[in-house]
Amino acid sequence: TSIPVYIDFDGVMNSFDYALPRLERRTEFGGWRKTRSTHTHDGQTLQLLVSVERNATVRAWHSIGADLRWLTTWWQAPQDVIEVTQIDVPFVAPPARHRDPAPRALGKWKAEVLRLTHAPRDRIVWIDDDAVPAGFSKEFPNSLIVRPSPRLGLARKHVGPIAEFLQSEGLAE
């Protein structure tokens, strides 16, 4: 049985620390490339900074039981995310009441999606740099929540625990 792995884009796969030597040293991933989004925000395209090596690592989780899904505000511009990561998996859209462009507590709508989609005993992985609502881990005791630094994104140190979780037999019954 595959385990859903929900991945945010900005702050997880798209890093904001543009000092590449430091980024490589702190994430332990190489193959960094800068590009511009085709999607605009306030009339501007956005700079994207992704690691080819990190993208390949995340894609490989499929082979150990991951069912990858994007859980990101980029659900409206999936072509940018897919193009720069080469991870072509479903995007989870927020509930209709959270779809306006006004800033919100992103963790709240994302947690709501997970609550609507999964039972509390389901095994899920949620990788997001945004705050996770208080009590979510207790409500979902079989979940693994990974919160990378928003400047660095997913680092090599996060990969081992995620792989172990995907390959484990489970936690609470």
Side-chain angles (χ1 to χ4, degrees), residues 108 115 131-139:
K108 288 185 180 179
R115 286 182 179 109
V132 173
F136 187 87
S137 293
K138 287 184 180 178
E139 185 180 345

Side-chain angles (χ1 to χ4, degrees), residues 62-152:
H62 177 74
S63 68
I64 58 171
D67 177 13
L68 301 174
R69 303 170 190 188
W70 291 109
L71 185 62
T72 175
T73 56
W74 285 73
W75 64 272
Q76 297 178 66
Q79 69 283 359
D80 278 334
V81 174
I82 292 167
E83 183 179 319
V84 299
T85 63
Q86 297 298 298
I87 301 173
D88 190 358
V89 297
F91 282 73
V92 179
R97 69 180 166 279
H98 294 293
R99 291 188 185 175
D100 67 61
R104 308 195 167 269
L106 298 176
K108 288 185 180 179
W109 79 256
K110 293 175 183 180
E112 182 177 343
V113 164
L114 297 178
R115 286 182 179 109
L116 292 170
T117 308
H118 297 284
R121 296 286 180 196
D122 287 353
R123 297 184 72 218
I124 60 173
V125 177
W126 181 10
I127 308 168
D128 204 315
D129 64 307
D130 288 318
V132 173
F136 187 87
S137 293
K138 287 184 180 178
E139 185 180 345
F140 286 82
N142 293 329
S143 64
L144 175 64
I145 298 170
V146 179
R147 291 205 50 224
S149 156
R151 293 195 53 78
L152 303 174

Side-chain angles (χ1 to χ4, degrees), residues 3 64 123 144 158-170:
I3 297 172
I64 58 171
R123 297 184 72 218
L144 175 64
H158 302 116
V159 172
I162 294 168
E164 287 174 23
F165 183 86
L166 292 171
Q167 295 172 327
S168 70
E169 293 296 318

Side-chain angles (χ1 to χ4, degrees), residues 17-28 151-152:
D17 187 337
Y18 300 122
L20 293 182
R22 180 177 53 219
L23 192 57
E24 285 185 5
R25 185 177 66 255
R26 295 194 58 202
T27 65
E28 298 181 14
R151 293 195 53 78
L152 303 174

